Amino acid sequence: MSAIKKLLTTCLLTTVFCMAFDVKANTKIKLAVTERCPYICAENAAKQGVLVDIVKSIFNKKKIQVEIQHFPMNRAIHMLDKDQLDGVIGILQRNAPTLIYPQKSIGRVQYLMYTSANSGWLYTGLNSLKDQVLGVEVGKSYGIVDSYIQRHANDQQIIYQHYGENSTANLIKLLENGFIDILLEDKNILDFHTKNIGDAKLEEGGTIPTDHLYIGFSANNTQAQEFADLITTGISELRTSGELANILTTYGLSDWETWSPTHRNPFSGNYLERLEKNFHYDKESKRINTANMIFEGSTAKDGGYWKYATKFKEILERLSDGKLTVQLEFGLTTEHDIAMNIAEGKSHMGMVATNNLTPFAPSLGVLALPYMFPNEVGIKKLLRSPLIEKIADRAGLESNVRPISFFIGGYRLLANSQKIVERTSDLRGLRIRVPRNQLMIEAFRSWGVEPVPLPWTEIWPALESGIIQGQENPINIIFDGVNKTQEVWDILKYVTNIRYFMFTAPHMMSESFYRQLDAASQILVRQAATEAEAYSWELVRNEEIKMTQFAKSKGMIFIEPLNEKQDWQAKARSIWPDFYFRVGGKELVDQVLEVIDDK
């Protein structure tokens, strides 16, 4: 009897196995691509592109038939929404966060700012883009520059967008002929095109941090997760066997996991003197001592920023006997737009999280390095040191946005709706929102997950719809969320007390407007900011305690990370060398570490 049972069991398992195998063997999958050789090459080209070769190699081993269809990226995403495709190859996760992705990328892009030879131009912040025409391809995402491009998309004196085929080759010609001043393009793509068009004389003027390319699958496809898992394991197998290296070599590429970013160092020599030389404002105009200043903030009224701003307004108007007044405008726009409004003179001051300001003012990025301040004592030592004035001077000249004080909102905690997270490995399977800041994105990548960059105003709609499962923010900011229709505790159940990022938000002021004020008015503005700063620090500390107790009373579970220094901190700090060029240089980082006594 036992032999019969054994035989039946064997037959049953064999049948199930074969059925599963037949499903996979007979599967056909339609994948969209957009031509960007060497990643995706022309439809009739002898080589289809490195990303296509990688994907086909993985699926062919599982006897899955791949049909490649060429479309512009925007159309491909639209077709995915209509269930006309199964997936898209070569996409950035932030461009379509609702797709199903593997845990590992299939490539990486590195966007550079190219200028004509011997131009001498270097990217040093928002001010360095003044009077420059930036050439881009319509519909493509360029990471931290996207908000700048979107803001000026309709002004060809600032942004020239190329439509149609052969964008890179055509933009190179426009750059060489002086029609545009800067070409924003991926290094691999540009190298491929310059090899084919001859002696293109270009030089690198700036670097945008690298970003990962993925294959994304429609969530409506019942096998989407299975396909994603096959890519995850398949990439590892290709890498181990050496087949990945062979595919990459065919296109003159190397494994993106071992890349070292290339960039020119803009901070060498007398950096501050060069910034001052290139900073233009009306030096001849008469200094003023009366003004009505617009103060912008993206958060809701009655939040931490609002309370700081109302205190600043109250103090400044009292100190100046009403000569300097403040008009508060909150919750109307994004933080990137607030920074650009101030830089362009459309408002006078505002409050923006440091991490959202660093793309425009690189020297402030030193405050945004993950685990730069593992304890609160360190950040306060820096903000009371002479070094912070040097950083403020640099930031003002880099972006026309000068920090005059700092709101400290506590550590950015990790809150999610799904599970307890104690180790970095526990993050697997979670989509966590982060700001559009490459330092924070790379910190999460160092922990083994791909985060989802979203503007502040989109966090709660994404949480409530399930597009993301968590966010990282101070507890007070989490409760300050806008556009939410449900209570915080009904969505976010688990909070991990990681200390990777001390939330700071500079009270920023237009550098050129600040220089318009007479000396006495400048002193009053700084005095009011300093008093509001002290008020806000104490307020936040007390509110953080109360808010944490309140959250716990609503059932939110707070967790301490395990082995934080050796796990979370060590992995996050490992990315520092790749970002010295985005945070004011290694010399500035070392000066900060010396001030806070963390060597």
Side-chain angles (χ1 to χ4, degrees):
M1 185 67 176
S2 61
I4 294 174
K5 286 184 176 179
K6 184 175 182 181
L7 179 60
L8 288 172
T9 301
T10 302
C11 291
L12 181 60
L13 290 173
T14 302
T15 302
V16 172
F17 174 79
C18 290
M19 287 173 63
F21 181 82
D22 286 342
V23 171
K24 290 182 180 179
N26 292 328
T27 298
K28 293 182 179 179
I29 184 170
K30 294 181 181 179
L31 301 175
V33 296
T34 300
E35 182 183 340
R36 290 192 182 105
C37 212
Y39 299 114
I40 307 291
C41 296
E43 193 169 359
N44 57 354
K47 296 178 182 178
Q48 290 186 291
V50 63
L51 300 186
V52 175
D53 288 357
I54 290 171
V55 170
K56 280 191 169 182
S57 177
I58 293 171
F59 280 144
N60 285 345
K61 289 177 174 59
K62 302 300 179 181
K63 302 189 185 306
I64 296 173
Q65 300 177 46
V66 177
E67 179 183 339
I68 299 296
Q69 299 186 3
H70 286 249
F71 298 107
M73 184 60 71
N74 287 345
R75 184 179 173 191
I77 293 175
H78 178 73
M79 292 175 72
L80 280 171
D81 293 338
K82 299 289 186 180
D83 295 332
Q84 296 171 340
L85 293 168
D86 298 302
V88 60
I89 297 175
I91 192 169
L92 303 176
Q93 283 201 26
R94 66 171 176 270
N95 288 348
T98 59
L99 299 183
I100 304 298
Y101 293 96
Q103 293 176 15
K104 291 185 177 293
S105 63
I106 58 172
R108 189 184 295 186
V109 294
Q110 180 179 355
Y111 284 108
L112 300 179
M113 294 179 176
Y114 290 94
T115 64
S116 56
N118 304 316
S119 73
W121 182 88
L122 278 174
Y123 180 75
T124 56
L126 197 58
N127 272 350
S128 60
L129 293 177
K130 189 174 182 181
D131 299 325
Q132 303 291 313
V133 180
L134 182 61
V136 299
E137 179 182 346
V138 69
K140 187 185 287 189
S141 175
Y142 296 92
I144 60 174
V145 188
D146 283 349
S147 59
Y148 180 80
I149 294 172
Q150 291 163 9
R151 183 180 178 91
H152 301 293
N154 296 322
D155 187 346
Q156 288 199 3
Q157 296 302 309
I158 300 176
I159 301 294
Y160 176 82
Q161 297 189 87
H162 187 276
Y163 294 78
E165 299 179 351
N166 303 317
S167 289
T168 301
N170 289 331
L171 286 168
I172 290 172
K173 292 178 182 178
L174 292 174
L175 178 61
E176 290 180 322
N177 293 329
F179 189 81
I180 62 175
D181 302 298
I182 303 166
L183 166 59
L184 197 54
E185 186 53 279
D186 171 65
K187 179 174 173 56
N188 287 329
I189 292 177
L190 189 121
D191 287 349
F192 173 83
H193 280 275
T194 52
K195 287 175 185 175
N196 287 284
I197 64 175
D199 299 327
K201 295 181 174 60
L202 309 179
E203 64 182 21
E204 299 174 13
T207 304
I208 296 174
T210 61
D211 216 337
H212 288 258
L213 293 169
Y214 285 85
I215 177 171
F217 301 96
S218 170
N220 295 330
N221 188 314
T222 57
Q223 292 182 288
Q225 189 58 59
E226 181 183 359
F227 293 145
D229 292 342
L230 286 176
I231 295 294
T232 299
T233 56
I235 279 289
S236 297
E237 291 169 359
L238 291 182
R239 188 169 274 123
T240 301
S241 69
E243 187 176 349
L244 178 61
N246 292 336
I247 293 172
L248 293 168
T249 300
T250 302
Y251 295 87
L253 306 178
S254 59
D255 191 341
W256 58 95
E257 293 292 344
T258 58
W259 274 8
S260 294
T262 62
H263 55 82
R264 295 166 65 195
N265 180 15
F267 308 108
S268 60
N270 196 331
Y271 179 59
L272 191 62
E273 184 178 303
R274 285 188 284 116
L275 288 176
E276 186 70 55
K277 182 179 179 181
N278 294 322
F279 184 75
H280 302 291
Y281 71 103
D282 189 356
K283 300 177 183 178
E284 304 302 323
S285 63
K286 184 179 179 181
R287 296 293 187 91
I288 61 175
N289 63 2
T290 60
N292 178 46
M293 296 172 284
I294 297 174
F295 189 127
E296 289 191 289
S298 67
T299 59
K301 294 181 180 179
D302 298 326
Y305 287 9
W306 174 263
K307 291 175 181 176
Y308 170 97
T310 54
K311 178 59 70 172
F312 170 78
K313 170 182 169 69
E314 171 196 319
I315 296 170
L316 181 61
E317 291 180 355
R318 173 173 48 81
L319 290 176
S320 67
D321 292 326
K323 291 181 179 179
L324 298 172
T325 59
V326 181
Q327 177 182 332
L328 304 182
E329 295 185 0
F330 271 64
L332 301 177
T333 189
T334 68
E335 294 208 334
H336 275 196
D337 276 322
I338 290 172
M340 289 186 280
N341 283 346
I342 297 170
E344 295 169 11
K346 295 178 180 178
S347 61
H348 303 86
M349 58 180 61
M351 188 161 277
V352 170
T354 300
N355 48 275
N356 283 328
L357 188 56
T358 54
F360 308 129
S363 293
L364 280 176
V366 71
L367 302 177
L369 281 171
Y371 280 102
M372 170 58 85
F373 306 105
N375 60 71
E376 191 173 332
V377 173
I379 183 71
K380 290 188 174 179
K381 284 177 68 175
L382 174 64
L383 297 182
R384 290 290 178 260
S385 74
L387 181 59
I388 198 64
E389 288 303 313
K390 174 183 176 181
I391 294 172
D393 288 342
R394 287 171 57 153
L397 294 172
E398 289 167 342
S399 63
N400 197 26
V401 174
R402 165 180 285 271
I404 57 175
S405 69
F406 287 83
F407 176 92
I408 295 181
Y411 283 106
R412 298 181 77 102
L413 310 178
L414 177 65
N416 84 90
S417 60
Q418 302 296 310
K419 60 183 178 178
I420 289 174
V421 173
E422 296 176 313
R423 303 172 180 85
T424 56
S425 58
D426 296 331
L427 289 168
R428 187 167 298 171
L430 295 177
R431 285 185 174 178
I432 306 296
R433 178 269 177 183
V434 297
R436 290 175 292 185
N437 178 277
Q438 205 70 23
L439 287 164
M440 306 174 88
I441 292 170
E442 291 300 331
F444 274 81
R445 286 175 176 165
S446 78
W447 298 330
V449 294
E450 184 69 19
V452 181
L454 289 174
W456 164 256
T457 53
E458 295 179 20
I459 295 176
W460 277 98
L463 280 168
E464 292 177 1
S465 66
I467 292 175
I468 59 174
Q469 293 83 44
Q471 63 164 304
E472 47 72 74
N473 258 317
I475 191 67
N476 296 341
I477 302 297
I478 289 173
F479 275 82
D480 275 351
V482 295
N483 298 328
K484 64 178 186 289
T485 63
Q486 300 181 52
E487 299 291 355
V488 172
W489 54 87
D490 289 333
I491 301 290
L492 299 174
K493 303 290 186 182
Y494 308 98
V495 182
T496 306
N497 291 316
I498 57 173
R499 298 166 183 82
Y500 95 109
F501 188 95
M502 173 61 77
F503 183 94
T504 59
H507 172 186
M508 309 170 303
M509 189 169 189
S510 162
E511 176 74 17
S512 53
F513 178 76
Y514 179 77
R515 295 187 181 201
Q516 271 189 274
L517 295 174
D518 65 21
S521 297
Q522 288 180 354
I523 291 172
L524 293 181
V525 167
R526 295 177 69 87
Q527 181 181 340
T530 300
E531 291 184 26
E533 178 184 72
Y535 161 80
S536 69
W537 288 6
E538 186 64 27
L539 179 71
V540 167
R541 183 185 298 109
N542 294 334
E543 288 192 348
E544 189 175 48
I545 294 171
K546 291 179 183 178
M547 195 62 73
T548 301
Q549 292 172 342
F550 176 73
K552 289 178 178 179
S553 74
K554 292 296 183 178
M556 295 176 71
I557 300 170
F558 285 72
I559 306 112
E560 289 299 320
L562 295 178
N563 198 22
E564 184 172 16
K565 187 171 184 179
Q566 286 70 37
D567 183 17
W568 298 82
Q569 179 173 316
K571 290 176 180 176
R573 280 194 170 192
S574 70
I575 74 168
W576 282 18
D578 291 341
F579 284 88
Y580 288 143
F581 77 104
R582 292 297 299 139
V583 299
K586 186 177 186 301
E587 181 180 350
L588 182 60
V589 173
D590 289 341
Q591 290 172 355
V592 171
L593 291 173
E594 185 175 353
V595 168
I596 66 176
D597 197 24
D598 185 1
K599 303 173 184 176

